[in-house]
Amino acid sequence: MQYPVNEIFQTIQGEGHFTGVAAIFLRLQGCPVGCSWCDTKHTWEVDPANQVAPQQVINVAQDQPHWAYWSTTALVDLLTGPQYQAKHIVITGGEPCLYDLTPLTQLFAERDVQCQIETSGCYPVLCDARTWVTVSPKLGMKGGLDIAAQALERANEIKHPVAKQSHIEQLDQLLAQTNNTPAVALQPISQQKRATQLCIDTCIERNWRLSVQLHKYLSID
């Protein structure tokens, strides 16, 4: 299996259930969802003109639309090798669930490495059963995609971006569509003060978790 990789870097997970955990981020290229507030728009297009050599996507200094194909075994060998210390892999994008992540996550699990997928929920999640799936549902985006029922059923965690009360109501409607009972984290969009207070109040009321994008407050990747 070959995956189009935009970048690989090691840092601290700043969002959701694993906030504060040392993590290696594996960012895949390609996303048709079209979120207006997206901070990785450079990952949207898999343009053949931007294909580079595999080593050129490791520890990239700034956002680039370039990408490189990496095989399953090459990725696992690299990320479990001496170059990296973290034992938590975050597969993100772009939209990682454009691709079948089963062989990749299975191999990581066999090497006792925890995998987490961060997805919009617009595509079925294909991965190993031991993988933690974070669905950050993107509703009403430019791409016009619906949330996949399978993604909601597979989610271990719903990390919902919030700017106003209607976003809470949209989440309630989504949760009503599934028999799954994932953990829920509310994430204020762009650290807006009003959105943050709305998330705090709702998390207290419902015993949910607040996700504050710790990495942005700390000014780290």
Side-chain angles (χ1 to χ4, degrees), residues 129-148:
R130 293 161 285 189
T131 299
W132 179 275
V133 175
T134 299
V135 172
S136 184
K138 304 301 191 296
L139 300 163
M141 297 297 111
K142 185 178 179 180
L145 300 172
D146 294 327
I147 304 302

Side-chain angles (χ1 to χ4, degrees), residues 2 31 63 127:
Q2 297 277 327
C31 183
D63 293 345
C127 66

Side-chain angles (χ1 to χ4, degrees), residues 23-200:
I24 303 164
F25 277 72
L26 172 59
R27 188 180 303 283
L28 302 185
Q29 190 78 4
C31 183
V33 179
C35 302
S36 60
W37 64 83
C38 178
D39 57 5
T40 57
K41 291 182 179 180
H42 59 284
T43 66
W44 287 7
E45 302 296 332
V46 188
D47 186 344
N50 291 326
Q51 184 175 358
V52 297
Q55 294 300 316
Q56 291 181 252
V57 299
I58 298 175
N59 297 328
V60 179
Q62 58 186 10
D63 293 345
Q64 297 284 351
H66 65 204
W67 58 274
Y69 275 125
W70 278 79
S71 71
T72 301
T73 53
L75 280 171
V76 174
D77 286 345
L78 173 70
L79 301 187
T80 60
Q83 184 173 343
Y84 296 98
Q85 294 74 48
K87 300 300 181 185
H88 183 80
I89 309 292
V90 181
I91 306 174
T92 185
E95 172 46 69
C97 291
L98 288 172
Y99 312 102
D100 183 354
L101 301 173
T102 305
L104 184 62
T105 53
Q106 281 180 343
L107 193 50
F108 275 125
E110 289 169 6
R111 298 198 189 183
D112 296 321
V113 174
Q114 171 71 59
C115 271
Q116 175 186 5
I117 295 171
E118 293 188 341
T119 174
S120 67
C122 294
Y123 293 88
V125 183
L126 305 178
C127 66
D128 184 82
R130 293 161 285 189
T131 299
W132 179 275
V133 175
T134 299
V135 172
S136 184
K138 304 301 191 296
L139 300 163
M141 297 297 111
K142 185 178 179 180
L145 300 172
D146 294 327
I147 304 302
Q150 187 270 357
L152 289 178
E153 291 295 324
R154 180 60 182 81
N156 299 98
E157 170 187 33
I158 301 290
K159 178 165 60 69
H160 192 55
V162 171
K164 53 189 177 180
Q165 180 63 37
S166 63
H167 295 150
I168 305 291
E169 294 166 0
Q170 289 174 340
L171 175 59
D172 286 337
Q173 293 171 4
L174 274 182
L175 293 174
Q177 297 172 22
T178 177
N179 294 320
N180 189 18
T181 55
V184 177
L186 300 184
Q187 185 161 291
I189 293 176
S190 302
Q191 297 82 51
Q192 297 173 13
K193 185 175 181 180
R194 290 179 62 184
T196 300
Q197 190 60 54
L198 172 60
C199 289
I200 290 171

